[in-house]
Amino acid sequence: MAQLTINVGSNANDGTGDDLRTAMQKVNTNFTELYTASPLTSSISIEGNEISSNVSNANLKLTAAGTGAIEFEGIQIRDNHIEAIRSNDNLILSASGTGDIIVGAVRVHGTTISSDDSSKITFAEAVDITGTLTVPTVDTNVLRSTDSSAIQLEDSLNISGNLFVNGSITTNGGGLVTLTNSQISDGTAITTASTIANLDTFTAATYRSAKYEVSIADSTNSRYALHTVVVTHDGTNAYINDTVVSSTGSSMATFTADISAGSVRVRIVPISSDSTTYKFVRIAINV
């Protein structure tokens, strides 16, 4: 309905305007239209300092026009952005009492960040930490310095699994020896027949010589031995020497060496087909 305007005449009391009844009818009609269409009675209510929706489970929306923003004291909301409007001002989110701030599935409580759905928190990009990072468990397969400097471990390091070192290990206290031209490793082989088998192999292009300390155990026959085996090669042929200390006074296996497909093979022929275990430590010297 269009607004009804009271005709007040041309001059005071000239009799050309609306009579009192007609004027009040227009007033009532206008107010009826206003109250019927007003959002304050149909969709939202304002009581004291509270604005609420009168529609069950409905959102309360404030919408700016065009590129405008909705402004509150100190902040403004523009589309999906919440911004501080005072120069160099902080934007502070604070929960009440012991409550938390929850963003998506991330929960923030004081200085603690945790997952709200018990899943892991993923940082998809690099993270730079300028202070101290304290973690009870590190679950990763790579620890790397970003500036090529050494990673410092100032306390004891307990390793329950295997430690594989591709480069060298250097200590200031002299507890470890730095190996730059050799490699130390160990291994195990088991035979159940008296036919030839490989004890170990190494790459001929990488290592020139190797020394093995081989502990042999034949528990079935209570026979034990320690063999010292040295191997070298010229790229075509391999050469080997074996010395032994044995509980029986004789060798428990015959050791040979050859080169096959670029690898030096240290081979054994057991004296028995009973199960025999060979545990060895190898020192390999670079070419």
Side-chain angles (χ1 to χ4, degrees):
M1 183 194 76
Q3 179 183 1
L4 299 180
T5 303
I6 297 174
N7 186 352
V8 297
S10 300
N11 297 295
N13 301 315
D14 63 0
T16 60
D18 289 334
D19 57 55
L20 184 60
R21 176 179 174 79
T22 301
M24 290 300 100
Q25 286 176 333
K26 288 183 178 181
V27 171
N28 284 341
T29 301
N30 284 336
F31 272 108
T32 299
E33 174 77 9
L34 176 63
Y35 274 88
T36 300
S38 173
L40 300 181
T41 59
S42 61
S43 298
I44 65 172
S45 296
I46 300 177
E47 184 175 350
N49 62 352
E50 180 178 328
I51 302 175
S52 59
S53 173
N54 295 329
V55 181
S56 178
N57 301 319
N59 296 326
L60 190 61
K61 295 183 179 180
L62 299 176
T63 305
T67 58
I70 298 171
E71 290 194 6
F72 300 92
E73 183 180 1
I75 67 168
Q76 68 178 12
I77 301 174
R78 188 191 310 275
D79 194 17
N80 61 350
H81 292 252
I82 301 176
E83 306 161 343
I85 57 178
R86 292 188 288 259
S87 178
N88 301 318
D89 210 357
N90 295 324
L91 188 61
I92 301 174
L93 299 177
S94 300
S96 176
T98 59
D100 298 335
I101 297 172
I102 300 176
V103 181
V106 176
R107 179 183 294 269
V108 180
H109 182 80
T111 57
T112 301
I113 299 176
S114 61
S115 170
D116 192 49
D117 59 3
S118 299
S119 63
K120 67 179 181 180
I121 297 176
T122 301
F123 294 93
E125 305 297 338
V127 178
D128 292 329
I129 299 173
T130 57
T132 300
L133 175 64
T134 303
V135 291
T137 303
V138 178
D139 186 5
T140 181
N141 57 2
V142 176
L143 289 176
R144 180 185 299 113
S145 170
T146 59
D147 59 1
S148 300
S149 63
I151 297 176
Q152 187 75 22
L153 299 176
E154 295 186 352
D155 292 310
S156 299
L157 177 65
N158 294 325
I159 300 174
S160 58
N162 296 325
L163 175 63
F164 298 95
V165 180
N166 292 327
S168 61
I169 298 178
T170 304
T171 64
N172 293 329
L176 293 174
V177 177
T178 301
L179 301 178
T180 57
N181 293 298
S182 61
Q183 183 235 26
I184 299 176
S185 61
D186 61 9
T188 302
I190 298 175
T191 60
T192 56
S194 57
T195 55
I196 193 167
N198 285 345
L199 173 72
D200 186 41
T201 64
F202 59 85
T203 304
T206 303
Y207 301 109
R208 174 67 64 197
S209 306
K211 178 181 180 181
Y212 292 83
E213 297 290 344
V214 185
S215 177
I216 305 177
D218 176 1
S219 300
T220 301
N221 300 294
S222 298
R223 294 186 295 204
Y224 307 96
L226 177 65
H227 286 250
T228 300
V229 180
V230 290
V231 183
T232 190
H233 70 90
D234 57 13
T236 303
N237 299 304
Y239 309 93
I240 190 168
N241 185 66
D242 170 32
T243 58
V244 60
V245 175
S246 172
S247 63
T248 64
S250 60
S251 175
M252 291 181 61
T254 300
F255 288 81
T256 62
D258 63 14
I259 296 178
S260 176
S263 293
V264 176
R265 302 188 301 179
V266 178
R267 317 198 76 192
I268 48 177
V269 178
I271 64 171
S272 170
S273 60
D274 293 319
S275 179
T276 304
T277 300
Y278 305 77
K279 296 181 180 180
F280 64 86
V281 176
R282 183 190 77 186
I283 302 175
I285 302 174
N286 297 356
V287 171

